[in-house]
Every structure is written in C-alpha cells, then in structure tokens.
Amino acid sequence: MSNPIAIPSVSVTYAQDGTSTRPNALGMRPMQERAYQKRGEQYLLIKSPPASGKSRALMFIALDKLENQKLKQAIIVVPEKAIGSSFHNEPLSQFGFWADWQVEPKWNLCDAPGNDGGKVGAMQKFLASDAKILICTHATFRFALDKFGVEVLDDRLIAIDEFHHVSANPDNKLGDRVRQLMARDKTHIIAMTGSYFRGDAEAVLHPEDESRFDTVTYTYYEQLNGYQYLKQLDIGYYFYAGSYTDEIVRVLNPKEKTILHIPNVNSRESTKDKIREVEHIIEELGEWQGTDPSTGFQLVKTADGTILKIADLVDDDPTKRDRVSVALKDSKHKDDRDRIDIIIALGMAKEGFDWIWCEHALTIGYRSSLTEIIQIIGRATRDAPGKTRARFTNLIAEPDATESAVTEAVNDTLKAIAASLLMEQVLAPRFEFKPKRPDDRATPGFDYGQDGYNPNKCNVGINPEKGLIQMEIKGLAEPKSPEADRICREDLTELVAAFVQDKPTIERGLFDEELVPEELTQIRMGKIIKEKCPNLDEGDREAVRQHAIAALTLVQQAKKTMNEGGGTYTTNSNGEAAKNTALIDGVRQFALSVTELEMDLIDRINPFGEAYAILAKSMSEERLKLVAEIIAAKRIVLSVEDARELAKRASRFKQEKGRLPSLTATDPWEKRMAEGVAFLTRKVKEEKNA
C-alpha cells in the first residue's frame, strides 16, 4: 500500500476584498455590470467562472433586448433539466433593476414532465404566442430546429448556457444549429460558459464565427479575489497503488464539507462494483447509524463521536436517489451549513450543482474531459461564511507494468497533469504583455512593487482591481490586427488548453531528456496557433504564439519560485504544511531573479519542467521510470512537417545573424534548426533520385 504525498501543484491566495459580490445601484455584481454594458451586441460570449452570476447577467440583458431592442422572445437553452432552475422567477426590481424576471410555469419546459422530443410541440405553441420567455434543454432546442428550421427564430434572442457543449465539429448538432443561425444573421445569440474549451480539444466555434462575437471575460482570479470569505484555493493530484477504497482515508478529511466523485465503472480505478465502493467508503469513515427517514441521508458515527450526514447519489434505486436529490435541492436549507457533510456521486453533482459549503472536491480517477474537471472544481469555489480554504484533489492510480492497459494508464496520467496545468492558468490573473522600450512609463492603476517603476529594467505591475499582471518583455512581438490583439487579451487560456492537451507535446516536455525547449515553445505552439488562428498573417501568429507561451511559462516559473523558497507556510486542517503565498508574488520574484526578461529566454524554458518536478515528488520512482520508458519507446525522431517549421525558423535565424544555423553549434536550438534544414535537403535528394 502506497502513501500518497500531499503536494498541491498550485496554491493561490486571494485578497478577500468583497468586490465580486457587491452589487451596484441596479443590483448587478461586477461581472453582470460588465456584461450589461454590451447588451446591444447581436452576438455576445460571456466567459465567467461558476458562481459569478451568469444566469442573472442573462436575465438583465434579455429583459433589455425584449423591452428596448424590440426582440420578440427570449429562449434560454440549458444542457440538462436541473439547470433550468437557475432561470426561475427573480424579483430583480427589489434590488434596483427596472423589471422583474418572470417565466410562466408552462414555458419552463425543464420543469415539465415528458421527454425532450415530446416538448417540441410546446415550443411551437410558445413561438406562436405572445409569451416572452421560454426555458428548454439543448436537446429540445435541437429537435425543434430539426422540425421547424432556424428561420422560426428570426428576431428572437437565443441564450445558450454551458456553451462549451457546442463544437465546430460538423457532427455536433448544437454547433451546427448555431452556425445556421449565424449564417442567417437574424437572431441574437448570447453564449455563456465557465470554460471556453473542450476536453476533446475540438474548437468550440470556427474562427470566422468566433470573430463575430463580442466577448465579456471575467476571470477566476477576479471572482475569487473579490470574495468575502474564501482566501485560499489548492489544486493537486495524488497517486496511489492498489485499491482507491483503501487509500481514500488518507486524503478524505471528514471534517471538511466534501463532494466525492467515485470513478466511472469502465475506468481503471473502478472496482466494477460502485455500490460496494460507497459502502466501503462509509465503513472507513465510521459506524453506520442508519438512514434519515426524511432526507435519505446516511448517518455515520466517527471515532470522535461526530454524526456525519452523507448523501449517496450513486445508488440507482430511483426511490432512494430521488429522495436524496430532492433533499439536497431544498431551498429552505440552502444556507444551513450543517444540513449535509459529504456527498458521494458518480455522474451527478457536477455542472450547475450548487452547494456553497463545499470545501473539498475529491475526484477519483481521470475524468473524460478538462471541462468536466473545471466544472467539478467549481463546486468548491463558492463563497460562504467561515469558509476560508477550498481544495480540489484528483486521486489517480499509478501505472502498473502488470496491467494490460498500461498505455491507457500512462495517458490518464498525462491528462491529469494537463488538467492541473490548465487549472493553474485559469486561476492566475490575466497577463498584459508589453515589449520593453526605453521611453516606457508606468501605467496608471498598476502597482510596481516596493521600489516603484524603473524605466531601465523590465517591470512587473499588478492591477488587483482588474485582476491583471502587466509584464514588460524585451523582444516581444506585438499583435497588429484587432483580432490578434483580442486573442492576446482574451483567449490565451484557450490556446494554452490546446497546447497542454497535445499529447506529443506533453510527452516530450515531461520525459525527453534531450529536448530542446524551442521545439515545443516555437514549433509545437506555432503549429497550434496556425491551426487555431488560420486567418491571421504570419507576423500576428508569431505575436500570439509569444504571448501564449509567455503566459504558460511565467505561471510555471512563478510556481517554481514559490516552491523553492520565499513565501510563508501555514498549517491546513490535516496538519500538512500549506504554502500561503499569492501566485503573483512568484511571478514578480521570477522576473527579479533574471538579468533581463527577454522573449528568447522564455522560449528557452521547458514549460513542463515544474510539472515534472511535482510528478517526481508524488509518484514512486519505479512507476515514473515505467512511464518514461513507455513514452520513449514510441518517440518519433523528426517529422517532415516539423522539419519544415525548423527550416522556417532557420530562415529567420539567417536574416538576424547573416548565416544559416550550424550542425556543429554548441547552442542546442541552433543545432536543431540546422538538423531540420539537413533533413529536408536529404528528403529532396531522395525524391530526385527515386
């Protein structure tokens, strides 16, 4: 039996300034006010984390479009019926707005009995009526448009919640309907999501469609920094050997309000008997005392005499699970911290599930997508009185050489690391990169540290109100077109998501000892930018590439700086040492630790180096070696496509240096570019002689 080491991959501390929950005169919180300012846009994309108030932001905008923009009706589309409750009536006028949000019960199809296909007729009646607002599921929406065509939605507002369910893949029916609506261009669309990327790495929208949306971005950092109570958020993964049910007590603290997601029955981590797994977890926690007759919660007495109330959402018996589910949703007990202690789930309690008291989201096994992980983490990031710390833990089985599916196990490990890297990026403040120039001056609103702004060096400025880190970098390319500028301001996280999900990239970044970092930072990221941003010219693509790599690498270097020293430690509820230094301090410390912050320097850093250091601490040496061997066995020396990209970089090198890269150079990147040129030259000769 292994002993998982409690190593958070990232720990972020927030200011608790209360701004993100403080309403204005119209009853709008900051994110909602930001979105409302763009209420006149035909296509609006709201990217904002769970609990930031997207549902109410939509209410404000929809009411304005119905009253002042003369749209006929508003249709709110949600992924599942349970989320429809987020759009029930709200007395907005009580808080300063000029109207209330009111939905006639018969037009909230999420509350109506029957299946999605049978609700198409109700939607047809709504479209022919004078009613103003309808709530339905994604499926009902698709079925209706299949039957009636997109033209029935002319002069109406369509608001799509959890927009990451859309995909640019032609097989994605919801995405196809969105494209049809945009091609007709007679409907207003509001898209809302907490994660504008997909676990399958597919694009959400085609670039030409995406460019038509005006974007409102409200970051996790802004949201959590503006909370009143929550101070610290930890994200980490632990590895174990054997059965997870034997290891779980090492990471499950019964004194923390916890949502525990057990593994899918088809996953490696599952014992294939989910009911027995739940029983075993309950047995590990204490002595079963029976079931509460009114709620269906399991009652368990711990060793110290505490009675835990546990909600079992895994049992498929509808009479049991429905009673538990209804008890959890009972609005009368929403503010009762003692109502429930632990929720055990499998496919439930994720997207749209609201339990503000959750302090620990504990997930067993890798989940099917990064968006699912972000949704699970969002369950723990609600602000609540007395809740100062929250954490997400991913408990993952170590790859075992005796397993027949060892390659699958390695892939799951890489996906878990990718999820951790992405969450670190999501949780960090946004970056505003500027090329360093001699005549630069301080920007109003930014704090440049104890010594203030120094025009003779690369400065790091912090704007806590906007959640921005401003960094000056020598040699940084600037975006020229409005679209490239927008991507650098708004979409770097989406590009980082694509980069860390690229399997050859993360494999080499973690386990290739001969890696030249520029092969990832320039070649692989350059390829991803070309695929994601095909409409940009070469200069803008290079600017976007540099901004994306800088954002990823600087977060990783900040984490490294924090882990190596500096910063204070506190003791968490498990008695473990917990870092209590804000990530932005690490960014500033890294910038101060280098002589000059240059783009060439950033490109020479392996962005996965710190992830490997954490992996080496949390996985046994034997298993780590096994993973490295499996990845090394399938390594490709050099592809023609990568050689072409190396040759392009070699051409730039010649323009700057006046000579081609040399195969005998001591600089590994120059040598690698020369190898790319030689590889292509050899291929051309082989083709001529064929």
Side-chain angles (χ1 to χ4, degrees):
M1 183 184 296
S2 68
N3 186 2
I5 306 170
I7 305 175
S9 62
V10 66
S11 178
V12 189
T13 310
Y14 299 95
Q16 295 175 302
D17 63 17
T19 54
S20 65
T21 56
R22 192 175 300 139
N24 65 6
L26 293 175
M28 298 177 188
R29 286 150 56 183
M31 185 283 288
Q32 296 159 353
E33 182 178 8
R34 190 178 300 176
Y36 191 67
Q37 288 170 354
K38 296 193 176 184
R39 61 191 179 277
E41 300 294 335
Q42 181 177 358
Y43 301 115
L44 187 61
L45 172 60
I46 301 174
K47 297 191 288 187
S48 183
S52 59
K54 290 190 291 292
S55 302
R56 190 164 291 199
L58 181 275
M59 295 176 189
F60 292 126
I61 296 170
L63 288 170
D64 186 86
K65 285 185 178 292
L66 292 171
E67 179 67 24
N68 300 320
Q69 299 177 46
K70 305 308 178 187
L71 293 190
K72 294 177 181 176
Q73 294 173 313
I75 298 174
I76 319 302
V77 188
V78 299
E80 57 185 72
K81 291 193 293 184
I83 299 178
S85 62
S86 300
F87 298 96
H88 283 164
N89 292 351
E90 287 289 348
L92 302 179
S93 61
Q94 289 184 15
F95 309 102
F97 198 59
W98 47 264
D100 290 328
W101 176 261
Q102 294 181 314
V103 184
E104 293 181 55
K106 69 176 179 179
W107 300 131
N108 190 335
L109 302 186
C110 292
D111 293 341
N115 57 37
D116 288 298
K119 295 177 183 178
V120 170
M123 188 166 172
Q124 184 180 27
K125 292 177 182 176
F126 168 80
L127 293 169
S129 75
D130 294 328
K132 293 298 183 183
I133 302 168
L134 177 132
I135 319 293
C136 70
T137 64
H138 289 180
T140 297
F141 182 71
R142 294 197 316 267
F143 292 141
L145 294 195
D146 287 347
K147 188 169 183 178
F148 308 127
V150 297
E151 59 273 10
V152 298
L153 301 181
D154 286 359
D155 302 316
R156 288 171 171 84
L157 168 65
I158 305 301
I160 303 175
D161 197 16
E162 310 295 358
F163 194 66
H164 53 268
H165 287 258
V166 169
S167 167
N169 188 311
D171 293 333
N172 183 281
K173 292 183 178 180
L174 184 58
D176 186 55
R177 302 304 174 269
V178 170
R179 285 190 292 277
Q180 291 176 27
L181 287 168
M182 294 185 72
R184 186 169 174 81
D185 203 28
K186 293 185 177 182
T187 302
H188 288 219
I189 298 175
I190 296 178
M192 303 183 294
T193 181
S195 52
Y196 189 65
F197 41 79
R198 293 172 55 87
D200 56 13
E202 291 271 10
V204 176
L205 289 171
H206 290 298
E208 58 271 23
D209 289 333
E210 186 174 327
S211 65
R212 296 174 67 186
F213 278 83
D214 204 297
T215 305
V216 174
T217 301
Y218 193 69
T219 65
Y220 256 94
Y221 187 86
E222 287 179 283
Q223 169 77 354
L224 274 66
N225 207 52
Y227 274 169
Q228 184 176 355
Y229 306 104
L230 187 62
K231 178 73 174 175
Q232 183 177 336
L233 179 63
D234 298 336
I235 306 289
Y237 47 84
Y238 305 157
F239 289 91
Y240 70 92
S243 171
Y244 86 84
T245 53
D246 294 328
E247 299 289 340
I248 197 166
V249 290
R250 300 184 187 275
V251 290
L252 174 58
N253 180 1
K255 296 185 184 302
E256 290 179 324
K257 301 294 185 181
T258 302
I259 297 180
L260 167 61
H261 282 102
I262 69 170
N264 184 287
V265 291
N266 297 318
S267 70
R268 296 170 47 250
E269 288 83 0
S270 175
T271 65
K272 314 308 176 190
D273 186 346
K274 61 183 183 180
I275 303 300
R276 179 60 192 138
E277 288 175 25
V278 174
E279 291 173 348
H280 189 93
I281 292 167
I282 289 174
E283 289 167 1
E284 290 288 329
L285 287 169
E287 184 180 346
W288 186 67
Q289 302 292 298
T291 303
D292 185 301
S294 62
T295 63
F297 297 161
Q298 305 293 318
L299 304 176
V300 176
K301 186 177 182 180
T302 64
D304 65 3
T306 302
I307 300 294
L308 295 177
K309 294 181 278 294
I310 301 173
D312 175 9
L313 293 174
V314 176
D315 195 324
D316 291 326
D317 184 334
T319 58
K320 294 180 181 178
R321 191 163 73 177
D322 288 353
R323 182 162 46 132
V324 171
S325 184
V326 168
L328 289 174
K329 294 175 184 176
D330 189 343
S331 59
K332 295 196 298 292
H333 296 278
K334 182 179 180 180
D335 297 327
D336 182 1
R337 186 183 188 278
D338 297 325
R339 172 73 165 174
I340 189 74
D341 297 296
I342 296 172
I343 297 172
I344 304 176
L346 202 165
M348 301 176 72
K350 298 175 186 175
E351 193 173 73
F353 184 80
D354 190 12
W355 181 35
I356 64 171
W357 305 106
C358 177
E359 298 166 295
H360 188 193
L362 173 56
T363 298
I364 316 300
Y366 175 71
R367 312 319 278 188
S368 60
S369 75
L370 295 180
T371 49
E372 183 179 354
I373 290 173
I374 287 177
Q375 290 291 342
I376 290 172
I377 292 172
R379 302 317 102 201
T381 57
R382 265 66 171 169
D383 202 29
K387 176 179 164 182
T388 58
R389 175 177 177 258
R391 60 181 177 135
F392 167 75
T393 306
N394 200 177
L395 194 60
I396 305 163
E398 287 188 344
D400 189 335
T402 62
E403 291 182 77
S404 58
V406 65
T407 302
E408 179 190 343
V410 170
N411 288 340
D412 284 350
T413 298
L414 295 177
K415 289 173 183 176
I417 296 168
S420 177
L421 290 167
L422 179 57
M423 278 311 302
E424 290 160 15
Q425 206 69 38
V426 167
L427 292 169
R430 276 193 301 161
F431 286 97
E432 183 181 274
F433 297 117
K434 297 175 63 177
K436 179 60 183 173
R437 297 190 178 93
D439 59 346
D440 282 337
R441 297 291 181 268
T443 304
F446 284 84
D447 172 17
Y448 294 94
Q450 188 174 358
D451 298 328
Y453 187 88
N454 185 343
N456 298 317
K457 69 169 189 174
C458 292
N459 293 272
V460 179
I462 310 297
N463 185 325
E465 184 180 334
K466 294 183 179 179
L468 283 174
I469 298 180
Q470 183 193 86
M471 299 199 71
E472 296 175 339
I473 302 174
K474 281 191 172 182
L476 179 74
E478 284 189 282
K480 302 300 182 186
S481 69
E483 177 61 8
D485 182 64
R486 183 195 67 78
I487 292 169
C488 289
R489 283 186 290 104
E490 305 282 355
D491 290 348
L492 295 184
T493 298
E494 287 73 35
L495 297 173
V496 168
F499 184 70
V500 300
Q501 287 182 97
D502 185 62
K503 197 157 72 166
T505 295
I506 196 169
E507 287 177 347
R508 294 201 62 198
L510 288 170
F511 295 105
D512 186 351
E513 295 180 357
E514 299 178 0
L515 172 74
V516 180
E518 289 94 334
E519 291 183 68
L520 301 186
T521 59
Q522 293 194 21
I523 302 303
R524 296 302 295 182
M525 181 60 96
K527 179 184 176 185
I528 285 169
I529 303 302
K530 190 174 182 179
E531 291 172 353
K532 297 288 183 182
C533 313
N535 299 328
L536 299 183
D537 64 26
E538 190 172 343
D540 271 343
R541 284 204 296 266
E542 174 62 12
V544 170
R545 182 200 71 78
Q546 290 185 13
H547 280 68
I549 278 296
L552 172 60
T553 300
L554 287 167
V555 168
Q556 294 304 302
Q557 289 302 302
K559 186 176 65 172
K560 179 181 180 182
T561 302
M562 290 164 61
N563 289 339
E564 287 179 347
T568 58
Y569 286 83
T570 59
T571 302
N572 64 27
S573 55
N574 289 334
E576 304 154 351
K579 186 79 70 173
N580 192 25
T581 303
L583 195 65
I584 53 178
D585 290 342
V587 171
R588 183 169 269 154
Q589 287 177 36
F590 168 69
L592 291 172
S593 70
V594 298
T595 306
E596 289 288 355
L597 192 59
E598 298 181 271
M599 195 60 223
D600 285 347
L601 167 67
I602 293 171
D603 273 338
R604 289 197 297 271
I605 297 172
N606 178 357
F608 297 98
E610 185 58 16
Y612 179 82
I614 290 173
L615 184 64
K617 293 176 184 176
S618 56
M619 184 182 285
S620 68
E621 186 177 347
E622 177 188 356
R623 299 297 200 283
L624 196 63
K625 184 180 178 182
L626 171 67
V627 173
E629 288 173 351
I630 289 169
I631 290 172
K634 60 178 183 177
R635 190 170 297 149
I636 298 171
V637 179
L638 188 63
S639 69
V640 174
E641 187 177 9
D642 285 350
R644 289 197 183 103
E645 290 301 320
L646 286 166
K648 288 180 183 178
R649 296 285 169 179
S651 177
R652 288 187 195 174
F653 180 93
K654 184 179 180 182
Q655 290 174 2
E656 295 171 2
K657 307 284 187 181
R659 63 177 178 83
L660 280 170
S662 170
L663 282 167
T664 58
T666 55
D667 179 68
W669 177 231
E670 180 181 344
K671 184 179 179 181
R672 192 60 170 161
M673 287 188 286
E675 289 171 353
V677 173
F679 180 92
L680 284 181
T681 303
R682 187 168 64 251
K683 281 288 182 184
V684 170
K685 286 181 179 178
E686 289 172 359
E687 289 173 3
K688 282 183 178 179
N689 296 332

